[in-house]
Amino acid sequence: MRTCLCWLAACALAWAQDPPRQDPEKQDPEKQPKPAAGTTQDPTRREEVDPAAAAAEALRRLLRGETTPPTTREELPPNVEVPAGPPPPPPPPVESGAERPAGAGEQDPDTGPEGAPGAAAGTATGAGAAQGADERTTPPQDPVRPPDEVDQARNALERLLPGAAPVNREPEQVRDDPGRAADPALDPARAADSEGAAQDPEAAAAALADRTSGSTEPLAEPAYPIDGFLTLDYRGRHAEDPGAGLDGTSGNTDQDFTAILGVDFGDSRRHDVTAHFLGRGRFDLDGIDTFNPLNGINETYDNGVELHLWDAWVDVHRTPGVELVRIGRQTILDTPRTLFLDGVRVDSQEFAEFRGSVGGFVGLPTRYHSGHDSGEFLSGIWGEARPWDGGRLRTEWVHVDDERDGQEFTDDMVGFSAWQSVGRSTLLHARHNLLDGRSLDVHARVQTDLEDLGLSLQVAYTELLNTQVRQTLEFDPFWNSLFDLNPYRQFSASLTQMLSSQVDLTGGFDVRRLTDTADEGQFNRDYERYYGTITWFDDPEDETVSVSASVDAYRASQGDDVLAIYGDVTWQVATDWETSLGTDYSLYRYDWQFQAERQDIYSAYLRVEHDLAEDWSARVQYRIEDAAGDLFHTFEARVTWTF
């Protein structure tokens, strides 16, 4: 509505400042008005115009169904000034058989050449008449209007503009011929509008906005939005042949149903209190079979129903001096190690003096597969600053108390991090962590995105400085399986390059070397990995069909060399249908559905995705896997609702 009313005001101001003029050679000098005595007429001089009055007059005329702008002083309110000079005469009548000018409206025998209601062709009556008309016609008469109608329209315009909500789409162009005004006698709807405009200018303005924008009700945001998603997933797995990897798996079947729900409450930009929830429920459809080799950690419970609460927090915003207060189960991502916490986190607002902030958290460490023990505790504080442009410094301290297997563990980790942006495309990052007073590891990374060259490059270096022994679960969750982790150096690089508008290339490598070769073991050894993928798109805009081929090569110090070649073909059948066929390989894969670890997995898959509705989507996939000699058939059906 705001767009429409501003357009009306601009039109009114343009009409008042510069009314249409005709070629002087075609004007009758005898019919030109004479300047007042003692004055000199300057055709280039323009007098001051009251924009509000001009806009109100334009609004009044449009609400009455008139499209012809006022051309004489008598047609405007007393407080509206118009430029000095002759008013334009009406256009000459079009002779029979003559070609009409481009863009001219069709002449209606009942409305006249300019669409004046009730006028015959060639006459000039009503509000659109100009001086100098045929002497046989009736002299022009001012239209009868209610008292203070202009002021009412102007007040309505002033009230509507400040509080009008933005319209979500551009106003549609009026389909009526701009050279014709509607005849209320022929259009009852507009006749009713004309009568109502005098009684209620605000309602008439809303009706006008409805005709130009398509809706009188703006699409306002909900008072307290609730957004989220719900995913329902069925997965059935069948072991066909026994093999060396999992003895006795032949004929075993496992079926599970999983539901994941994520919900966000409120908008942090508008509300003082918001909330977030993320949880999963898993149901074993074929019951608990203790001896089923397909079981994962989920089947270790006494029943087939398992509920996990991943996130559940409430955020408090706009507290004086505080940027955020978060209470509940949450994930801390900014620390040297990702932490899962049941407690409270507080982030301060930025201090203008050094462009920095501080924060902290305290609570109990989250255990998804066990309850809290009495000896568990987690806390930390941090501070960061941006002392110069493009730079950021951060330091944090994390304290963890853990009790496992009758032993108590206490760890304190201190981290130092720095970031520096170079230009608009390159970021440098470095981090150093200390654990219990000793240097633990260092990490450095360079990332650059050169859009002009279609190149994205990342190079990273990581070094473990001291042997990592058994620590608290937050700092070493894999010790029970991998035992001590000995010092090593690792260098990694990856790049993505657009070779053309239809071809992308992605590749990289990882190289790890033990600091002391004597520390080599099953989970501590040198290795190298090289990988690459090339993808072709049939259309760089729509990407209807894409074909990719990949190579993955591993080489380890103990002779475990692996070379895998696989690919994928994806075809977007329609805007809401997509199908994929391909193969892949993983030297190591963690099965999140069954929460089990598997190695040397070759697989082929067929996947179909479909958008059921605006907020609903579905995916069906069949996969056959060869994992360490065992053959598995897996069928998945997933439905996702986004709200």
Side-chain angles (χ1 to χ4, degrees), residues 230-232 576 609-619 638-642:
L230 173 63
T231 297
L232 306 177
D576 55 350
E609 300 182 25
H610 176 49
D611 293 333
L612 302 174
E614 181 180 359
D615 300 328
W616 288 86
S617 62
R619 189 186 80 167
R638 175 178 299 174
V639 176
T640 300
W641 172 41
T642 304

Side-chain angles (χ1 to χ4, degrees), residues 509-520:
F509 65 86
D510 299 301
V511 177
R512 175 179 289 195
R513 293 291 183 265
L514 293 175
T515 305
D516 187 351
T517 56
D519 294 333
E520 187 174 14

Side-chain angles (χ1 to χ4, degrees), residues 396-451:
E396 57 259 314
W397 166 76
V398 179
H399 174 83
V400 181
D401 290 332
D402 187 15
E403 184 176 348
R404 286 179 292 152
D405 302 330
Q407 301 183 35
E408 295 182 358
F409 300 89
T410 299
D411 285 330
D412 292 277
M413 178 174 285
V414 178
F416 302 93
S417 302
W419 294 264
Q420 178 64 53
S421 60
V422 181
R424 303 181 61 181
S425 60
T426 303
L427 178 65
L428 311 178
H429 173 55
R431 184 180 72 238
H432 180 207
N433 297 320
L434 295 89
L435 183 61
D436 296 331
R438 298 193 309 163
S439 293
L440 177 63
D441 55 29
V442 293
H443 176 80
R445 184 180 75 249
V446 179
Q447 181 177 349
T448 182
D449 295 308
L450 305 177
E451 296 183 1

Side-chain angles (χ1 to χ4, degrees), residues 333-335 345 347 350 354-357 382-396 416-422 427-431 445:
L333 300 174
D334 302 327
T335 48
R345 170 183 175 177
D347 296 351
E350 186 174 276
F354 57 91
R355 297 194 299 176
S357 56
W382 58 268
E384 67 176 40
R386 295 181 290 116
W388 58 80
D389 292 340
R392 182 164 70 100
L393 303 176
R394 178 183 174 94
T395 183
E396 57 259 314
F416 302 93
S417 302
W419 294 264
Q420 178 64 53
S421 60
V422 181
L427 178 65
L428 311 178
H429 173 55
R431 184 180 72 238
R445 184 180 75 249

Side-chain angles (χ1 to χ4, degrees), residues 22-66:
Q22 264 199 337
D23 189 346
E25 296 181 0
K26 299 181 180 180
Q27 297 180 3
D28 188 351
E30 297 297 331
K31 298 180 180 180
Q32 303 301 323
K34 301 298 187 293
T39 63
T40 302
Q41 180 173 339
D42 184 359
T44 63
R45 177 177 178 271
R46 297 185 179 183
E47 300 182 5
E48 296 295 330
V49 178
D50 183 356
E57 176 62 19
L59 179 62
R60 181 187 68 81
R61 287 180 171 276
L62 289 173
L63 293 177
R64 291 170 59 90
E66 302 173 13

Side-chain angles (χ1 to χ4, degrees), residues 386-596:
R386 295 181 290 116
W388 58 80
D389 292 340
R392 182 164 70 100
L393 303 176
R394 178 183 174 94
T395 183
E396 57 259 314
W397 166 76
V398 179
H399 174 83
V400 181
D401 290 332
D402 187 15
E403 184 176 348
R404 286 179 292 152
D405 302 330
Q407 301 183 35
E408 295 182 358
F409 300 89
T410 299
D411 285 330
D412 292 277
M413 178 174 285
V414 178
F416 302 93
S417 302
W419 294 264
Q420 178 64 53
S421 60
V422 181
R424 303 181 61 181
S425 60
T426 303
L427 178 65
L428 311 178
H429 173 55
R431 184 180 72 238
H432 180 207
N433 297 320
L434 295 89
L435 183 61
D436 296 331
R438 298 193 309 163
S439 293
L440 177 63
D441 55 29
V442 293
H443 176 80
R445 184 180 75 249
V446 179
Q447 181 177 349
T448 182
D449 295 308
L450 305 177
E451 296 183 1
D452 296 339
L453 301 178
L455 174 65
S456 177
L457 175 65
Q458 179 172 295
V459 179
Y461 174 79
T462 301
E463 181 175 358
L464 182 64
L465 301 174
N466 289 287
T467 301
Q468 185 169 334
V469 296
R470 189 175 188 182
Q471 311 289 157
T472 56
L473 196 62
E474 277 61 39
F475 296 146
D476 190 3
F478 303 110
W479 186 92
N480 290 336
S481 300
L482 305 180
F483 304 105
D484 292 350
L485 186 60
N486 296 310
Y488 65 86
R489 296 183 296 271
Q490 181 169 326
F491 186 74
S492 304
S494 63
L495 67 86
T496 299
Q497 174 69 60
M498 293 182 59
L499 302 181
S500 69
S501 60
Q502 294 180 267
V503 181
D504 286 352
L505 176 65
T506 300
F509 65 86
D510 299 301
V511 177
R512 175 179 289 195
R513 293 291 183 265
L514 293 175
T515 305
D516 187 351
T517 56
D519 294 333
E520 187 174 14
Q522 182 179 3
F523 302 109
N524 289 276
R525 50 181 170 171
D526 299 340
Y527 74 87
E528 301 170 6
R529 181 200 178 198
Y530 304 92
Y531 58 92
T533 300
I534 186 169
T535 305
W536 171 82
F537 305 96
D538 70 324
D539 189 329
E541 299 295 335
D542 298 334
E543 299 182 3
T544 305
V545 177
S546 64
V547 181
S548 63
S550 303
V551 60
D552 214 339
Y554 289 88
R555 181 182 180 185
S557 58
Q558 294 184 351
D560 295 335
D561 297 342
V562 176
L563 176 64
I565 300 176
Y566 46 96
D568 177 275
V569 178
T570 299
W571 176 29
Q572 187 171 353
V573 183
T575 56
D576 55 350
W577 282 94
E578 182 177 285
T579 181
S580 300
L581 175 66
T583 64
D584 59 26
Y585 166 78
S586 297
L587 177 63
Y588 171 85
R589 177 181 298 173
Y590 187 82
D591 191 327
W592 289 100
Q593 184 74 14
F594 291 94
Q595 298 193 12

